[in-house]
Structure formats: structure tokens, C-alpha cells
Amino acid sequence: MGDMTNSDFYSKNQRNESSHGGEFGCTMEELRSLMELRGTEAVVKIKETYGDTEAICRRLKTSPVEGLPGTAPDLEKRKQIFGQNFIPPKKPKTFLQLVWEALQDVTLIILEIAAIISLGLSFYHPPGESNEGCATAQGGAEDEGEAEAGWIEGAAILLSVICVVLVTAFNDWSKEKQFRGLQSRIEQEQKFTVVRASQVVQIPVAEIVVGDIAQIKYGDLLPADGLFIQGNDLKIDESSLTGESDQVRKSVDKDPMLLSGTHVMEGSGRMVVTAVGVNSQNSSPPSSLNKNNSAIDSGINLTTDTSKSATSSSPGSPIHSLETSL
């Protein structure tokens, strides 16, 4: 299952949605589109389409106070329709791919070229070399021995390159294997607080489903997308998705959108989960986030260019002094 790509998960979820879309008041595609909106635009969309966040909870057959019933059939049905809270990891690189990447080092490339040239010269014999060798009897045996052993230098360089490449590739392969094992263990041990059957319980993050009522507090890393339904002075750091360092204040009336992968910096509250796994914004950032990042990058580039021009034109700057002297 770990080798499945995001596209496989998307196609599987789409088939499940088409066959089970009538069991809930909103489909996975509708919820995913809703979570792409921000601020006032999201509030207007919720009011026009659903009425309010409590109406969305009713459509998802959950209660803001009691949460989901927590029965196995209901949880399994939600996983089939809305997907699991699991993002398949990228396919690990093979050992041969790591060897090829190690061979791209500039120093190793230079050594490879030097070794090939050395081997070529060791086996190359000019046409007139045999006649000159007959005229000089003394020292001829020594020159012949050096010529026969000339290939050893090139072979030694190639052998060294091969050893370095294999060691580097093996180290990278070992580190990647250890990292994946550590990541898998962390995912299994990581838990989050939700409300099920009027009981506050902690469950593994992978077991969170759409419709769960999650309790959030300062320091939490949100494991799924959701709508803020109640709480106090909630501020979220969305820099991991939008690139903006300013904390975003969340409220039911102004901006109830909570995104997976963001951090709770202040306050506490509850949210209803609306998207998990590959359907969350952390898995596939929408075009609106990409536009925000592009705007931020453009602003940074513009600021950098302006500062450069100001520095170069400043009368007291070293660049101005150098231009004047030239």
C-alpha cells in the first residue's frame, strides 16, 4: 500500500464517491472545493450552500457536541467514501538510482575522465617506437616495464571511484531506510484528541475520518482539514502552506477554515473534519495557495531588486565608488 501514488488514491476515492455519494449530504469533491476557499469567500460559500457550520455537521451525520457514534461500520463507510487519513509516501529510490546520483559528483567525473585518458595512453604505442627501442639497448628493459605497468595508474583511479560511489550509495540507502522506519513509527505513535459518542478520546492520526469532531489546542499540528465550530481566540500559523509568517486569527463568522499541516499558536477549540489524507490541502496545495506563493515570491524579488539598485546607486556605497573610479 505504501507504493501507491496519490493519483491511485484519488481515482479510488472518486469511484467510492460516485457509488456512495448519496449517503451523505455532501460529496468529497464538494468538501475539497470548499476547503480551497479562504476568509470571507469561504464564509459566503458556506452560508449560500449549506447555511452554517452546524448544517454541514448535520449533513456529515455528526454532532458538534457528541461527535461521531464511533461504530465500526460507520467509520469504515466514511473511510471508503471520503478516504483514509494517510498520505502514501514516495516510492523509495533503488540502489542503482543512488549509484547514478553519486556518479554525478563533479570531482568523480574529473577522476573518471583522468582514468580513461590514463588507460588510453598506457595502451597506445606510437608507430616509430619499436625502431627507436632497438637503437637504445641500455635502459630499454626498464622503459618496457614501465609501459607494461602504465595501465595500473588508470585502473587504480577507476577502482577508487567505484569504491567511493558504492560507499556513498550504500550510506544514502541506509539513511533513507532508517528515515522511513522512523517516520512510520512516529505516524503510528502520533495521536490526536477527538470526541466520539460524547467521550473525549485519543486515537491514532491515521484513524481520523471525515465527520470527526477534533479538539485543538496550543501547540497542536492539525492532522486534517476542517471547519472551526467553536473555541476561544484561535490563531494558526499557516506559513507551511502559504509562506506567510503572520498568524491567522480564526473565527466561525470570519475565517473558519483550518488546514492540515498548520500549527495552533494560540487558543483552543473544536473543528469538524472535512478532508483527510490525499484530499487535504497539505497533500495537494490548491491553485489559490500557489497564487499566494507566487505573489510572495514576486514581492521578495521586487524588494531584492529595489535594494540592489538602491545599493548600487548610493553615493557612499563601494559599488558606486568602483563605478566612479572606472
Side-chain angles (χ1 to χ4, degrees):
M1 185 175 182
D3 293 340
M4 294 184 67
T5 59
N6 287 4
S7 58
D8 296 332
F9 270 65
Y10 275 123
S11 59
K12 181 179 178 181
N13 290 337
Q14 288 289 351
R15 291 195 299 269
N16 291 332
E17 180 184 347
S18 60
S19 58
H20 301 280
E23 297 189 19
F24 293 92
C26 45
T27 63
M28 179 184 64
E29 185 63 33
E30 291 174 352
L31 293 174
R32 190 192 307 163
S33 300
L34 175 63
M35 295 309 300
E36 293 179 1
L37 304 178
R38 301 289 177 268
T40 306
E41 186 180 7
V43 174
V44 172
K45 177 67 175 179
I46 292 174
K47 289 182 178 180
E48 291 179 351
T49 307
Y50 305 100
D52 54 18
T53 54
E54 292 186 0
I56 295 179
C57 290
R58 289 193 295 269
R59 292 198 181 196
L60 293 176
K61 299 180 180 179
T62 185
S63 169
V65 179
E66 299 178 358
L68 293 177
T71 60
D74 180 64
L75 297 178
E76 187 63 29
K77 183 194 302 182
R78 292 174 186 275
K79 290 180 181 179
Q80 291 179 356
I81 297 177
F82 298 108
Q84 299 181 7
N85 195 24
F86 171 77
I87 298 177
K90 294 182 180 180
K91 188 176 180 181
K93 295 180 180 178
T94 64
F95 185 76
L96 291 179
Q97 289 176 326
L98 295 175
V99 168
W100 176 252
E101 289 184 358
L103 284 171
Q104 307 308 308
D105 185 77
V106 178
T107 304
L108 294 181
I109 293 176
I110 295 175
L111 290 176
E112 292 166 10
I113 296 175
I116 294 174
I117 294 175
S118 178
L119 286 175
L121 293 177
S122 65
F123 292 108
Y124 175 73
H125 301 285
E129 183 177 344
S130 57
N131 296 332
E132 295 177 358
C134 295
T136 58
Q138 187 178 9
E142 296 179 359
D143 294 340
E144 184 177 355
E146 292 179 359
E148 291 179 355
W151 61 272
I152 296 179
E153 181 178 353
I157 297 176
L158 279 182
L159 182 61
S160 301
V161 170
I162 292 174
C163 291
V164 171
V165 168
L166 291 178
V167 170
T168 303
F170 179 77
N171 288 337
D172 293 342
W173 179 79
S174 300
K175 291 178 181 178
E176 186 172 358
K177 184 178 179 181
Q178 293 175 359
F179 173 76
R180 288 183 177 274
L182 178 62
Q183 186 179 24
S184 176
R185 188 169 72 252
I186 292 176
E187 290 177 353
Q188 293 175 359
E189 295 177 353
Q190 186 179 8
K191 294 185 177 182
F192 207 80
T193 304
V194 300
V195 180
R196 287 185 178 177
S198 301
Q199 299 292 326
V200 178
V201 295
Q202 283 194 337
I203 62 173
V205 170
E207 296 298 322
I208 295 177
V209 296
V210 171
D212 261 325
I213 303 300
Q215 288 193 344
I216 54 179
K217 62 183 183 304
Y218 166 74
D220 283 343
L221 175 66
L222 299 186
D225 292 351
L227 297 176
F228 185 51
I229 55 178
Q230 56 179 283
N232 301 314
D233 193 25
L234 188 67
K235 291 184 179 180
I236 303 294
D237 179 10
E238 297 181 348
S239 59
S240 60
L241 293 181
T242 63
E244 298 179 1
S245 59
D246 295 337
Q247 298 177 10
V248 182
R249 184 182 295 274
K250 298 294 181 178
S251 65
V252 178
D253 299 330
K254 295 182 179 180
D255 187 4
M257 317 307 285
L258 299 175
L259 308 177
S260 64
T262 58
H263 289 82
V264 180
M265 305 306 294
E266 290 184 19
S268 61
R270 287 185 177 185
M271 76 172 187
V272 55
V273 177
T274 55
V276 295
V278 295
N279 301 310
S280 63
Q281 301 301 301
N282 190 31
S283 170
S284 53
S287 57
S288 60
L289 291 181
N290 293 336
K291 290 178 180 178
N292 290 340
N293 289 336
S294 301
I296 293 171
D297 293 339
S298 301
I300 293 174
N301 293 335
L302 179 60
T303 304
T304 305
D305 294 339
T306 305
S307 62
K308 286 182 179 177
S309 60
T311 304
S312 60
S313 61
S314 177
S317 63
I319 298 178
H320 179 79
S321 302
L322 180 60
E323 292 175 350
T324 304
S325 61
L326 292 175

